[in-house]
Amino acid sequence: MEEKNQMPANKVEVPLPKSGAVGLDIGTSRIVAADSSDSKLTRTELNAFVAVPASDMIEQVLKQKHMVFERNCKNLYVYGNDSDFFASFMNVAARRPMRDGLLNPQEEQSQHIMQLIVQRLVPRARRNNEVLYFSLPGKGEGVNGKLVYHQAVLKNFLSSLGYNAKPLNEGQAVVFSELQDENFTGIGVSFGGGMCNVSVSFMSMPMITFSIPKGGDYIDRNVTEVLGEANSTKVRLEKEEHLDLSRAPKDDLSRALHIYYEDVLQTLIDSLRAEFSASSQLPKIDRALPVVLAGGTARPAGFLQKFEQMLVAGGEFPIEISDVRMAKDPLTATARGCYIAAMSEMK
Amino acid sequence: MIPRSGTETTLHYSKVVERYAHLFDRPEIRLRFLNHTLALQTDCTDKLNGWLDRFPLIKQSKLYERHYARLLDLLLYRLIVREINKYLPTSMGERLRLLRQQKAPVAARVYFSFYQARYLFHVAGLAFVVLLICGLCSATVWSAHRVNNYLASRYSKSNPTDTHAGSPGVVYAQTPANYLPDYKPEKVWLVERKDNFERYSNGGRISTDYETDNHQRAYYVLPHTNGAMNVQAKPIGELHHEPAGLLYHTSESDLLPFTADNNESIETHTRGLLEYVRRNRSYNYVIDRFGQIYRIVRDEQAANHAGHSVWADKQGVYVGLNESFIGVCFETRSDASVEQLTEAQLVAGRLLTQILRSRYQIDDADCVVHGLVSVNPDNMRICYHHDWVRNFPFAAMGLSDKYQVAPVAISEFGFTYDDDIIAQVGGAMWPGAVAALAEFDRRAAAANLKTDDLRKQMRERYRQQMELARKSRDTTTDQTESSRALDQTNTPQG
């Protein structure tokens, strides 16, 4: 028996998209919706939830705090942006409906919670065949089989909202949002929570796409483990608020973060080299390609310099790189890219 | 040009499309333009390849190697222009401003301008096609006229308005028919031949009940004298056996009033005439008063119808027209006061003229009446016979008016006429005769001779030519028979 939170105060009125096109970045840590190419007009929800045993007292507190939750017969589920605060309040770790970029098979409620979060961001389509592009990880190590399921579940759900739902590679979405002046030719990299996605695009056509199963969560988890922390909250806060990769680490935590960041970047650069060497589909591109970095994991200060240093340090790259740049708004770049793709298909 | 590989093709197309993508500021429109254009080009390429797969011969040809890539490029540019047109502002000025602002390639601007003006080009193209069709029609009509004129000149021996090169001022045929001005002798052929008649495609019916034989035609075409005695009287070319002209006669036989109650009498008279003509081999054809055409002497044989006679066309001079001209006799009289020919005779005469002209390619200039060609060499007078010396309906026969033509007998050989002859022909000579007499005087003056002196010389000349004509006959026929026939026709019989 399921009982939905009916409190009007908790209801956030979701603005209807003006154009009928929606871009949705379904990331491991956040879900971002864009119905405009303006990054200020995007909407974001944490892709997380906290479950507590249902009680009238807690429910009353949640209502007073205007928190978004759902109650079923056993538990109360606080989800979305409120989950972070509530997790701190309850001194528990927020749970993730997704892991490593895909639906989390260890979470029974993953699909349901994700649907609730998405519904807070995306209204039902007003007309038939309004186009919605949602981000999808690229193929990679240990991903391929699960990717099919992940894509099908999301597509079915979004279609049930009345959209003509289509997947778009995360890296390609970054290309669409950031490389317009280059006619969508370049390399887009999305550093997400669960994984990193790369797309090498030529004139809007993805030539190479792949993913590596390392991202922000990988860094948090491993740093927490190696430092013997009880949970990853401290690590995450340090990473998001104080970490500067352009400076030498000053303590164990920042050193560990440096190490794992470098590991992630090195893995990605090596994979990129390997993909370029192995690919036979690339046309003979007669120009240098730009690289655009986006995603929450790319937010720490000095990330861009670190990436450039490691790219140069690895020796000659298979293709000429014109420049490496950070997306204008790394957190919303993927969603905006999906929106542009959706808009391009609107009549 | 060697077809590009798949990757090269993609790169090539992408580069082309990329140049035009800069026109669009908004990312979704730029993306749509790139994707659509390239996707459509891929579709086009697939369709073209599919079509070519069905025609392997084309694919193996050099034409394919040379032009395949170019064709695809053209298709691409077509798609680009079409796609650009979808996404650019509707205002022409805004479009051009955008093109300038975006520093679009010159080729893009040119293509775009052409695309903008496509309706103008359509109209211009349509107008061009219409003009082309009109031009082709005009050219066809003009060519047909030219061909027609050529064929007419090819199969017609003279131009009605042509003058003889050696005899300036001598006109062989001058006045066109007053009616049926565009009449041209049509192609006529034999439709049916029975024991006693022949039927022709123009409706003409020739009875052969009275057909008989005479000697074969044989004549020379003699050169024009130009009034000069030093011209050798050598014939032009070979001995001829084909008819060269038509000579119309009157039978000068008794005529009964042309009424229904005289039917039997009229036919009895006609039978008498036909028997007479057959016995004397007087004509090749007789047309009775009911319009029935009878062949008497076969076409390839000479009939004794012309006697001393002379006529000329631009080919040369014919002396003694029995040999060279077909004699056609109408059952009528020259002095008939009311009508000389019945309606049926007019129709039959026209049909027979068509048949004979078509069969022997006889020129209009050589269709003449006996009175205009008949001469008396003894006194150097014309009109020894004067049948049809007036009132012959040339136009009704589809012929030009020979009364306007200067007879060669007067203009070249110096034959002349006197008051008796003028009285006989009705009080006035026909215009051609008057002109011919003036022409002969002009020649005498040019030769510093008196007219009579020149006339004497030309009389001798005529005799020489007559002798030559006689000899030509003798090569193929019995001279005695020919002389007898000649003597017979010199009797005052038409």
Side-chain angles (χ1 to χ4, degrees):
Chain A
M1 182 70 183
E2 195 173 273
E3 185 181 317
K4 296 272 173 70
N5 179 4
Q6 298 294 322
M7 283 200 319
N10 289 343
K11 277 284 183 186
V12 176
E13 201 61 39
V14 182
L16 294 171
K18 294 172 186 173
S19 57
V22 179
L24 197 60
D25 173 16
I26 301 176
T28 305
S29 62
R30 291 172 196 274
I31 297 176
V32 184
D35 50 23
S36 162
S37 55
D38 186 349
S39 60
K40 292 175 185 170
L41 298 177
T42 54
R43 299 181 299 281
T44 303
E45 289 281 342
L46 284 175
N47 193 5
F49 68 98
V50 176
V52 292
S55 75
D56 290 342
M57 186 190 73
I58 294 175
E59 188 173 348
Q60 197 61 35
V61 170
L62 293 175
K63 285 179 181 174
Q64 285 173 355
K65 295 286 183 185
H66 301 298
M67 298 181 86
V68 178
F69 69 96
E70 186 188 65
R71 175 181 179 174
N72 66 18
C73 53
K74 290 181 183 175
N75 292 315
L76 288 170
Y77 294 99
V78 178
Y79 57 88
N81 290 339
D82 293 334
S83 62
D84 200 23
F85 170 78
F86 193 64
S88 300
F89 179 74
M90 297 294 290
N91 197 25
V92 294
R95 291 157 64 183
R96 294 280 182 77
M98 285 173 62
R99 183 180 175 184
D100 298 334
L102 302 171
L103 284 168
N104 188 348
Q106 293 171 351
E107 283 291 351
E108 193 182 344
Q109 295 294 324
S110 64
Q111 288 185 37
H112 180 62
I113 296 294
M114 269 187 62
Q115 288 174 5
L116 290 173
I117 296 171
V118 168
Q119 280 175 317
R120 284 186 59 78
L121 294 169
V122 179
R124 291 191 69 83
R126 287 170 299 181
R127 300 184 297 270
N128 281 340
N129 288 323
E130 286 188 3
V131 182
L132 183 149
Y133 265 89
F134 61 96
S135 65
L136 198 69
K139 291 179 181 176
E141 185 185 337
V143 171
N144 297 348
K146 299 172 194 169
L147 190 60
V148 175
Y149 178 73
H150 177 80
Q151 178 182 334
V153 168
L154 289 179
K155 185 168 183 175
N156 285 342
F157 166 62
L158 294 168
S159 298
S160 73
L161 295 178
Y163 289 98
N164 178 15
K166 297 180 179 182
L168 180 67
N169 180 275
E170 266 190 54
Q172 190 65 24
V174 173
V175 169
F176 285 165
S177 66
E178 302 296 326
L179 293 178
Q180 178 200 342
D181 291 342
E182 288 78 10
N183 284 325
F184 313 107
T185 300
I187 301 171
V189 186
S190 170
F191 292 91
M195 58 171 56
C196 294
N197 283 281
V198 181
S199 175
V200 181
S201 170
F202 179 72
M203 299 286 293
S204 82
M205 291 176 287
M207 299 285 125
I208 297 172
T209 57
F210 68 94
S211 66
I212 59 167
K214 291 179 179 175
D217 289 349
Y218 167 82
I219 295 169
D220 296 351
R221 193 166 55 243
N222 283 288
V223 170
T224 302
E225 281 180 16
V226 297
L227 295 181
E229 296 286 340
N231 61 49
S232 63
T233 305
K234 182 184 172 187
V235 173
R236 186 162 54 81
L237 288 174
E238 171 67 17
K239 185 181 73 174
E240 292 176 357
E241 294 176 9
H242 303 111
L243 180 63
D244 187 344
L245 292 170
S246 62
R247 292 183 183 176
K250 57 188 178 193
D251 54 24
D252 289 346
L253 179 55
S254 61
R255 187 175 298 112
L257 283 169
H258 271 259
I259 289 169
Y260 281 102
Y261 257 102
E262 286 173 5
D263 177 45
V264 170
L265 290 176
Q266 193 59 54
T267 306
L268 186 133
I269 291 168
D270 290 345
S271 298
L272 196 54
R273 284 180 190 278
E275 289 287 343
F276 269 118
S277 302
S279 178
S280 59
Q281 294 180 351
L282 269 181
K284 293 173 187 171
I285 300 171
D286 56 352
R287 72 191 80 171
L289 298 183
V291 179
V292 182
L293 311 179
T297 306
R299 288 175 70 195
F303 184 87
L304 179 62
Q305 291 85 337
K306 177 67 78 178
F307 183 89
E308 285 179 316
Q309 283 170 11
M310 294 184 70
L311 195 64
V312 173
E316 191 180 352
F317 204 69
I319 59 160
E320 191 182 350
I321 302 295
S322 61
D323 66 312
V324 181
R325 71 182 84 144
M326 190 62 74
K328 289 188 282 287
D329 182 355
L331 286 179
T332 62
T334 303
R336 283 184 288 113
C338 288
Y339 168 75
I340 288 169
M343 275 298 290
S344 75
E345 294 199 2
M346 293 298 291
K347 301 291 182 188
Chain B
M1 183 178 286
I2 300 168
R4 291 184 280 260
S5 69
T7 311
E8 286 174 336
T9 304
T10 305
L11 188 62
H12 172 73
Y13 295 157
S14 301
K15 281 181 178 175
V16 174
V17 174
E18 189 178 16
R19 293 208 297 269
Y20 301 93
H22 288 290
L23 290 170
F24 306 105
D25 276 339
R26 290 171 57 186
E28 67 273 16
I29 294 181
R30 184 178 291 198
L31 180 60
R32 189 186 304 169
F33 171 73
L34 287 170
N35 284 339
H36 275 209
T37 311
L38 291 172
L40 288 171
Q41 176 66 5
T42 306
D43 284 349
C44 276
T45 308
D46 291 344
K47 280 181 188 171
L48 184 63
N49 288 339
W51 185 81
L52 285 170
D53 285 342
R54 283 185 284 165
F55 302 99
L57 282 177
I58 296 178
K59 215 167 180 176
Q60 291 162 7
S61 68
K62 288 185 178 175
L63 198 71
Y64 168 79
E65 286 181 11
R66 283 181 192 167
H67 299 294
Y68 175 75
R70 284 182 191 152
L71 180 62
L72 286 179
D73 284 353
L74 282 177
L75 288 174
L76 177 63
Y77 280 111
R78 183 179 66 99
L79 290 173
I80 286 171
V81 170
R82 191 193 291 171
E83 290 296 308
I84 285 176
N85 195 52
K86 274 189 203 170
Y87 305 132
L88 285 182
T90 50
S91 159
M92 179 77 173
E94 284 181 35
R95 289 176 174 210
L96 290 174
R97 184 177 52 77
L98 193 61
L99 286 167
R100 281 194 291 271
Q101 277 181 353
Q102 296 295 329
K103 294 179 182 173
V106 175
R109 289 189 227 172
V110 171
Y111 272 113
F112 186 70
S113 302
F114 277 120
Y115 188 80
Q116 288 296 303
R118 64 191 184 281
Y119 295 117
L120 192 63
F121 284 118
H122 291 173
V123 171
L126 194 64
F128 176 73
V129 169
V130 169
L131 284 175
L132 191 67
I133 291 170
C134 291
L136 283 174
C137 288
S138 301
T140 306
V141 171
W142 182 80
S143 302
H145 277 301
R146 290 298 298 266
V147 169
N148 198 28
N149 290 342
Y150 169 77
L151 291 176
S153 62
R154 172 75 177 78
Y155 294 108
S156 166
K157 288 177 184 170
S158 72
N159 185 329
T161 57
D162 202 8
T163 57
H164 184 258
S167 306
V170 179
V171 180
Y172 294 103
Q174 206 169 39
T175 307
N178 290 329
Y179 50 92
L180 300 171
D182 295 325
Y183 173 74
K184 294 277 191 300
E186 62 183 42
K187 173 80 177 167
V188 180
W189 64 93
L190 179 64
V191 175
E192 184 182 18
R193 174 179 282 143
K194 295 288 186 185
D195 289 343
N196 61 344
F197 73 91
E198 292 171 356
R199 191 159 62 85
Y200 288 83
S201 60
N202 66 344
R205 184 181 184 280
I206 297 175
S207 168
T208 55
D209 285 337
Y210 292 86
E211 203 171 57
T212 186
D213 286 318
N214 200 8
H215 67 268
Q216 191 190 11
R217 294 180 185 279
Y219 64 93
Y220 287 109
V221 180
L222 302 169
H224 285 277
T225 64
N226 296 331
M229 284 302 293
N230 56 353
V231 175
Q232 294 288 318
K234 288 181 180 174
I236 302 170
E238 303 282 320
L239 193 63
H240 296 266
H241 300 287
E242 288 286 307
L246 300 181
L247 197 60
Y248 299 95
H249 302 261
T250 54
S251 63
E252 302 299 328
S253 51
D254 293 334
L255 298 179
L256 293 172
F258 194 63
T259 54
D261 54 346
N262 283 334
N263 269 350
E264 284 190 16
S265 301
I266 291 171
E267 288 196 328
T268 302
H269 275 73
T270 299
R271 277 195 296 275
L273 172 66
L274 291 170
E275 288 295 344
Y276 177 85
V277 170
R278 180 168 66 173
R279 195 164 51 247
N280 293 288
R281 292 157 176 83
S282 304
Y283 305 108
N284 296 95
Y285 290 92
V286 171
I287 299 173
D288 72 8
R289 301 183 75 195
F290 295 121
Q292 177 60 53
I293 304 168
Y294 297 92
R295 181 183 294 132
I296 310 298
V297 178
R298 293 186 173 85
D299 294 351
E300 64 276 16
Q301 296 169 349
N304 308 315
H305 62 98
H308 289 293
S309 52
V310 58
W311 187 248
D313 58 20
K314 68 177 181 180
Q315 309 294 328
V317 178
Y318 305 89
V319 176
L321 302 186
N322 286 348
E323 298 297 318
S324 51
F325 280 48
I326 291 174
V328 177
C329 176
F330 292 94
E331 185 184 6
T332 186
R333 297 181 66 87
S334 298
D335 57 356
S337 57
V338 179
E339 65 173 16
Q340 286 190 318
L341 292 177
T342 65
E343 189 72 23
Q345 281 178 308
L346 277 173
V347 173
R350 182 184 180 90
L351 295 178
L352 180 61
T353 302
Q354 286 174 346
I355 292 167
L356 296 175
R357 287 189 64 189
S358 174
R359 178 184 284 181
Y360 301 110
Q361 295 299 309
I362 294 171
D363 188 19
D364 165 61
D366 293 321
C367 299
V368 66
V369 294
H370 191 197
L372 301 191
V373 303
S374 178
V375 295
N376 184 350
D378 294 333
N379 60 7
M380 289 301 284
R381 295 288 187 270
I382 60 169
C383 288
Y384 183 71
H385 293 278
H386 45 83
D387 42 345
W388 289 128
V389 79
R390 56 183 175 171
N391 297 335
F392 184 75
F394 283 108
M397 300 297 146
L399 301 170
S400 61
D401 183 2
K402 302 302 182 302
Y403 296 121
Q404 305 295 331
V405 177
V408 70
I410 303 174
S411 62
E412 287 195 28
F413 292 103
F415 285 87
T416 185
Y417 50 86
D418 53 22
D419 292 342
D420 291 342
I421 292 174
I422 292 173
Q424 282 175 356
V425 302
M429 298 303 290
W430 63 94
V434 177
L437 200 60
E439 170 63 16
F440 188 79
D441 290 343
R442 190 188 63 75
R443 288 185 178 189
N448 289 324
L449 291 172
K450 290 181 180 176
T451 304
D452 287 342
D453 292 342
L454 181 59
R455 183 166 286 124
K456 284 177 187 171
Q457 290 181 12
M458 296 313 295
R459 180 187 300 179
E460 188 57 33
R461 171 82 177 169
Y462 175 78
R463 289 185 192 281
Q464 287 176 6
Q465 297 209 346
M466 194 171 65
E467 189 59 31
L468 185 63
R470 188 191 299 273
K471 283 179 180 172
S472 69
R473 285 200 307 273
D474 291 346
T475 57
T476 54
T477 60
D478 177 57
Q479 188 172 5
T480 309
E481 178 67 17
S482 295
S483 298
R484 185 184 61 79
L486 192 63
D487 293 339
Q488 277 183 348
T489 54
N490 273 336
T491 59
Q493 171 86 33

